[in-house]
């Protein structure tokens, strides 16, 4: 099972012949992902990494039955590539690009109305179901198979939490990075919903950061709809007001945007909260013990 | 990226938004000439800095004679204006905007933001103008009208008319609101603005004739879209930005100065924030936020060290790298290069994890340099705090 991607996923890469796509497509194949080809406009008909290259996603889908795409296309062209993927029938499109203009993302979100494809990102490390499917740029060797579902805005905090999960003797069912941008394809709620329905996930870790209402909205949703325990952490306790902390979306614009306010709200809504980024693993263990898992 | 009020007004004017007649001045004589050229008998001299709260801080003055325009401009130019947004040092005033004084009948609020919940451009309007909209949201949330704009359709005239009526405008002013609101929206979308604020939007009396105008204007642009907005890039005023942050950006680093004594060099914005958090939770204070980004070459790491060390408060540096797209061996080489070329005297606490971690650790060990190595985030923060306390 797991969520969104698994051993049955048939993956293509857009921007396939580029440096990063090549490296990570190779790594994905080495770690169990079924990569079926790729798209680089203008290079259709050639082969790359022993796989067919197509000019368009539509051709790639028709020829290979691909249902997942890793969009390794630079920010100015990423939204066009995402729309192409959605239109061609890709079910899950993951975009790594950091720096997509926000008005392009607003257009994409409008475009997705009435279309059911999932978009993960932008500005994300991607998604990994260890041993089955990786679409992204994360170091796959740190992800061990297990029953903790993980979702984060930040890439490196996804890695950090994974290491703590491993150190606690646990592993990950699926790890999802939803990305650090203020307008992103997939939100926390969609990921929590999928984890709640996933028989291979026992417990969920949600790692947010300052800025935006997403974490609290997700916690509110979880309180009503989830039986599985959720552990939350919000980065940026020490962040100053009004400054964009690296991620486009990480900015405190009002009281509710602070890490403390979000973690207080999460706690009030019944989540387990790690108040220290170094204690995420410990709090997972504690939550599992309390729930008899 | 922010621009000055006068630049925002000139830009909005090109989108058909009515603004008061005005001119920018960099000196006392220029201010006098500007007032002369604009004409009239009453002027407003407004200090041009990016921070808000200028009025309360004495950065906006109304005067009745050209001699006073000059005197006021002279008094403002070259001084540091301290507002609630500038910090204690204030911001140097290097230009003033001289505009024809308006006879204000009533002030309103108009703003456009990208709402993170609806993920659409959202228009906010209120009958309560000229005050902080955050305060209105707290005390009278019912006085804020919110309209979500469909990006495929844009802002329709009927929406503008409905909003105008809802905030209390009547008659011809309702018609005038269409041009103003659509102009601001069009500017925001075409120029990749993140936010546009007209506060106040005002009804003014022009010789017995009422007109709706943008009396103040604030535009904030998307840094991610600046590559396709050359004309906006040209409006950038580097004097308004922290020179170290500008330098960091030019090296592909994201740096924000803070007030503590533990320098931070981290990859990824989330881990960089979490490292600051861990330091704080151990009772220490971070000196900065610094994200070296993906693909940190040895040169980039050296630049990061140099920028962090320019802060005289820094007593040690915490290097926390969890390499995904990065490589620990490159980071290690960068640290050694930095130690040698910058003659770093403060202790470095180094935590490496992820891609090529073994190679990275080996390079540090074999260098013969004194690094304090840390096992994990908690250990790294604890060691950094202990080292800073010395």
């Amino acid at each position: 099972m797991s969520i969104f991607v698994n051993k049955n996923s048939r993956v293509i890469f857009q921007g396939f012949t580029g440096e990063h796509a090549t490296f990570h497509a190779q790594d994905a194949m080495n770690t169990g992902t079924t990569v079926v080809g790729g798209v680089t406009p203008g290079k259709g008909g050639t082969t790359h990494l022993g796989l067919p290259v197509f000019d368009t996603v539509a051709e790639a889908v028709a020829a290979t039955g691909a249902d997942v795409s890793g969009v390794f296309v630079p920010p100015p062209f990423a939204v066009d590539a995402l729309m192409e993927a959605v239109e061609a029938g890709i079910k899950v499109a993951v975009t790594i690009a950091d720096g997509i203009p926000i008005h392009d993302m607003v257009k994409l979100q409008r475009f997705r109305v009435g279309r059911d494809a999932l978009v993960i990102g932008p500005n994300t490390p991607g998604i990994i179901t260890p041993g089955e499917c990786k679409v992204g740029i994360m170091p796959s060797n740190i992800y061990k198979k297990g029953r903790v579902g993980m979702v984060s805005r930040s890439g490196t905090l996804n890695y950090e939490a994974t290491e703590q999960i491993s150190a606690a003797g646990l592993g990950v069912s699926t790890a999802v990075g939803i990305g650090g941008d203020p307008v992103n394809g997939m939100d926390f709620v969609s990921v929590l919903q999928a984890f709640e329905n996933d028989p291979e996930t026992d417990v969920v870790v949600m790692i947010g950061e300052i800025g935006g209402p997403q974490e609290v909205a997700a916690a509110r949703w979880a309180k009503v709809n989830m039986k599985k325990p959720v552990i939350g952490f919000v980065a940026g306790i020490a962040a100053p007001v009004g400054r964009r902390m690296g991620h486009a979306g990480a900015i405190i614009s009002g009281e509710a945007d602070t890490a403390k306010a979000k973690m207080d709200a999460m706690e009030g809504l019944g989540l387990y909260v790690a108040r220290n980024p170094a204690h995420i693993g410990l709090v997972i263990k504690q939550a599992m013990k309390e729930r008899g898992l | 990226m922010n621009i000055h009020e006068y630049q925002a007004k000139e830009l909005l004017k090109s989108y058909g938004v009515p603004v008061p007649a005005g001119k920018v001045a960099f000196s006392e004589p220029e201010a006098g000439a500007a007032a002369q050229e604009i004409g009239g008998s009453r002027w407003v001299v407004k200090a041009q800095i990016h921070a808000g709260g200028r009025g309360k801080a004495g950065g906006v003055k109304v005067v009745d004679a050209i001699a006073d325009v000059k005197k006021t401009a002279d008094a403002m130019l070259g001084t540091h204006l301290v507002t609630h947004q500038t910090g204690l040092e204030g911001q140097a005033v290097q230009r003033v905007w001289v505009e024809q004084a308006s006879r204000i009948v009533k002030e309103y609020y108009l703003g456009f933001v990208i709402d993170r919940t609806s993920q659409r451009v959202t228009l906010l309007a209120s009958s309560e103008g000229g005050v902080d909209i955050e305060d209105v949201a707290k005390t009278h949330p019912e006085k804020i009208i919110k309209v979500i704009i469909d990006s495929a359709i844009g802002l329709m005239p009927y929406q503008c008319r409905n909003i105008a009526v809802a905030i209390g405008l009547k008659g011809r002013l309702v018609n005038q609101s269409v041009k103003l609101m659509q102009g601001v929206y069009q500017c925001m979308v075409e120029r990749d603005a993140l936010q546009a604020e007209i506060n106040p939007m005002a009804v003014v009396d022009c010789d017995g004739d009422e007109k709706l105008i943008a009396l103040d204007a604030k535009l904030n642009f998307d840094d991610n879209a600046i590559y396709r907005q050359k004309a906006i890039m040209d409006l950038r005023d580097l004097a308004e930005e922290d020179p170290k942050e500008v330098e960091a950006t030019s090296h592909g680093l994201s740096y924000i100065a803070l007030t503590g004594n533990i320098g931070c060099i981290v990859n990824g914005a989330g881990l960089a924030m979490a490292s600051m958090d861990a330091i704080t939770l151990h009772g220490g204070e971070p000196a900065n936020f610094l994200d070296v980004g993906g693909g940190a070459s040895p040169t980039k790491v050296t630049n990061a060290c140099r920028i962090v060390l320019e802060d005289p408060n820094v007593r040690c540096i915490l290097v926390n790298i969890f390499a995904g797209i990065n490589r620990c061996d490159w980071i290690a080489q960068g640290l050694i290069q930095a130690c040698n070329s910058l003659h770093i005297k403060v202790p470095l606490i180094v935590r490496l994890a992820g891609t090529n971690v073994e190679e990275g650790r080996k390079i540090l060990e074999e260098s013969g340099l004194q690094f304090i190595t840390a096992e994990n985030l908690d250990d790294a923060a604890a060691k950094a705090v202990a080292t800073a306390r010395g």
Side-chain angles (χ1 to χ4, degrees):
Chain A
M1 271 294 287
S2 66
I3 67 167
F4 305 136
V5 296
N6 57 39
K7 58 182 185 303
N8 300 319
S9 299
R10 297 176 67 77
V11 181
I12 55 163
F13 286 85
Q14 287 172 258
F16 189 33
T17 53
E19 188 193 346
H20 287 308
T22 302
F23 180 84
H24 290 285
Q26 187 67 66
D27 181 67
M29 289 193 273
N30 294 345
T31 53
T33 309
T34 307
V35 180
V36 295
V39 175
T40 298
K43 292 193 179 167
T46 63
T47 58
H48 183 61
L49 303 177
L51 295 166
V53 181
F54 301 91
D55 286 317
T56 67
V57 181
E59 288 175 286
V61 169
T64 66
D67 56 1
V68 174
S69 178
V71 182
F72 279 66
V73 169
F77 318 109
V79 164
D80 179 54
L82 284 166
M83 288 182 179
E84 182 185 359
V86 170
E87 191 76 30
I90 289 289
K91 296 285 171 261
V92 180
V94 182
T95 179
I96 308 307
D98 174 7
I100 297 182
I102 195 165
H103 283 284
D104 290 4
M105 279 307 297
V106 170
K107 269 188 207 154
L108 176 75
Q109 293 301 77
R110 174 63 179 80
F111 174 84
R112 289 179 59 215
V113 173
R115 293 174 164 98
D116 59 2
L118 302 173
V119 171
I120 299 177
N123 196 1
T124 166
I127 180 168
I128 183 167
T129 296
E132 296 189 26
C133 185
K134 167 190 151 171
V135 189
I137 57 170
M138 60 278 275
S140 32
N141 60 327
I142 66 165
Y143 290 85
K144 310 281 179 250
K145 186 84 194 157
R147 303 187 61 85
V148 180
M150 183 161 49
V151 57
S152 68
R153 271 164 76 178
S154 152
T156 43
L157 269 184
N158 202 300
Y159 314 160
E160 173 65 41
T162 298
E163 192 184 66
Q164 292 184 31
I165 288 167
S166 297
L170 301 165
V172 167
S173 55
T174 300
V176 188
I178 60 166
D181 279 9
V183 176
N184 44 13
M186 185 174 288
D187 61 7
F188 278 132
V189 172
S190 319
V191 185
L192 292 189
Q193 195 164 16
F195 277 134
E196 178 68 7
N197 296 329
D198 175 27
E200 291 184 358
T201 299
D202 292 335
V203 50
V204 182
V205 183
M206 173 170 74
I207 299 167
E209 54 196 41
I210 54 166
Q214 267 208 50
E215 291 82 359
V216 179
R220 208 171 284 133
W221 185 89
K223 184 186 163 69
V224 179
N225 299 288
M226 285 186 80
K227 292 195 175 63
K228 294 175 186 176
V230 181
I231 291 89
F233 169 72
V234 178
I237 303 159
V241 173
R243 301 303 311 270
R244 228 171 267 284
M245 306 299 283
H247 284 157
I251 179 167
I252 301 173
S253 310
E255 179 49 36
D257 284 343
T258 65
K260 185 178 181 302
K262 289 192 194 195
M263 286 196 277
D264 287 350
M266 283 176 167
E267 212 159 56
L269 289 161
L271 267 61
Y272 294 87
V273 176
R275 293 278 175 168
N276 183 328
H279 296 166
I280 296 167
L282 294 175
V283 179
I284 297 170
K285 287 284 266 191
Q286 194 188 316
M288 290 179 73
K289 201 175 158 196
E290 269 183 40
R291 295 290 186 96
L293 291 165
Chain B
M1 188 193 109
N2 289 308
I3 60 172
H4 288 293
E5 173 202 358
Y6 79 92
Q7 295 166 326
K9 281 181 169 168
E10 285 169 354
L11 186 61
L12 288 169
K13 195 177 166 189
S14 73
Y15 281 89
V17 176
V19 296
K23 213 164 182 276
V24 68
F26 292 81
S27 66
E28 182 200 330
E30 274 183 33
Q36 195 92 52
E37 192 186 317
I38 299 158
S41 56
R42 216 159 188 228
W43 299 269
V44 192
V45 183
K46 303 178 89 173
Q48 297 296 295
I49 60 168
H50 285 178
R54 292 171 301 164
K56 279 184 192 144
V60 179
K61 295 264 195 288
V62 182
V63 292
D64 293 312
I66 289 187
D68 292 335
V69 169
K70 289 166 77 173
K71 212 191 286 171
T72 307
D74 190 43
M76 281 181 187
L77 288 163
T79 59
H80 282 247
L81 194 62
V82 181
T83 83
H84 70 280
Q85 288 185 1
T86 58
L88 293 174
E89 285 172 22
Q91 182 63 45
V93 181
Q94 293 178 331
R95 23 190 136 179
V96 295
W97 171 245
V98 181
E99 79 181 11
Q100 213 165 49
S102 302
R103 274 200 294 272
I104 300 166
V105 179
K106 182 164 167 48
E107 297 181 327
Y108 301 85
Y109 175 87
L110 177 68
F112 292 83
V113 295
I114 293 169
D115 175 54
R116 294 174 70 155
T117 301
S118 64
Q119 305 202 313
R120 301 287 189 275
V121 176
T122 300
L123 181 154
L124 302 167
S126 177
S127 57
E128 307 302 297
V131 293
D132 192 341
I133 196 68
E134 298 275 338
D135 294 338
V136 181
K138 273 185 208 139
T139 54
H140 292 287
E142 77 286 356
K143 289 190 177 173
I144 298 177
I145 313 291
K146 205 170 154 181
V147 175
I148 293 168
I149 301 167
D150 186 327
S151 54
I153 294 165
L155 179 63
M156 296 301 288
Y158 82 88
Q159 292 178 300
C160 303
R161 293 193 298 270
N162 282 343
I163 294 156
V165 170
I167 62 173
L169 291 169
K170 288 192 173 64
R172 289 196 303 117
L173 294 170
V174 173
N175 298 38
Q176 288 180 27
S177 76
V178 176
K179 197 174 177 191
L180 194 156
M181 290 179 195
Q182 283 190 321
V184 180
Y185 175 73
Q186 196 191 347
C187 175
M188 178 175 182
V189 173
E190 281 184 21
R191 301 306 182 111
D192 282 304
L194 294 176
Q195 201 177 348
E197 192 172 60
I198 309 298
N199 190 21
M201 169 171 80
V203 174
V204 297
D205 179 355
C206 302
D207 304 321
D209 203 13
E210 288 195 341
K211 275 192 179 145
L212 188 67
I213 65 166
L215 206 51
D216 199 353
K218 201 169 141 192
L219 295 174
N220 174 247
F221 296 91
D222 184 358
D223 292 331
N224 288 339
I226 221 75
Y227 71 90
R228 63 186 180 196
Q229 298 292 354
K230 170 86 178 53
I232 300 298
M233 194 60 195
D234 292 343
L235 301 177
R236 189 171 180 191
D237 181 359
L238 286 176
E240 290 283 336
E241 298 175 35
D242 182 299
K244 275 175 76 180
E245 290 175 18
V246 173
E247 201 211 332
T249 308
S250 75
H251 295 298
L253 305 164
S254 172
Y255 171 91
I256 293 170
L258 302 166
T259 53
N261 58 11
I262 300 172
C264 297
I265 295 176
V266 188
N267 70 315
L271 191 61
M273 278 190 273
S275 304
M276 287 162 44
D277 294 348
I279 288 170
T280 307
L281 291 163
H282 274 282
E285 281 187 70
N288 65 276
F289 165 94
L290 190 147
D291 173 9
V292 290
S297 64
T299 313
K300 217 167 162 186
V301 175
T302 308
N303 282 324
C305 288
R306 189 170 45 75
I307 288 165
V308 168
L309 286 167
E310 276 169 19
D311 178 349
N313 295 329
V314 170
R315 300 190 59 175
C316 65
I317 301 178
L318 169 61
V319 180
N320 186 14
I321 302 295
F322 209 127
I325 207 162
N326 271 302
R327 288 170 43 178
C328 288
D329 51 334
W330 276 33
I331 301 282
Q333 281 166 13
L335 289 174
I336 290 163
Q337 191 178 306
C339 284
N340 292 333
S341 64
L342 303 171
H343 311 290
I344 296 178
K345 302 225 167 37
V346 303
L348 264 66
I349 299 93
V350 185
R351 183 266 185 132
L352 297 177
T355 310
N356 294 359
V357 61
E358 295 309 325
E359 291 91 324
R361 286 185 184 151
K362 201 163 160 228
I363 290 168
L364 292 185
E365 262 168 40
E366 288 172 357
S367 71
L369 293 164
Q370 295 291 315
F371 295 107
I372 302 169
T373 54
E375 286 305 308
N376 53 43
L377 174 59
D378 206 31
D379 187 32
K383 283 176 174 163
V385 173
T387 309
R389 284 195 180 130

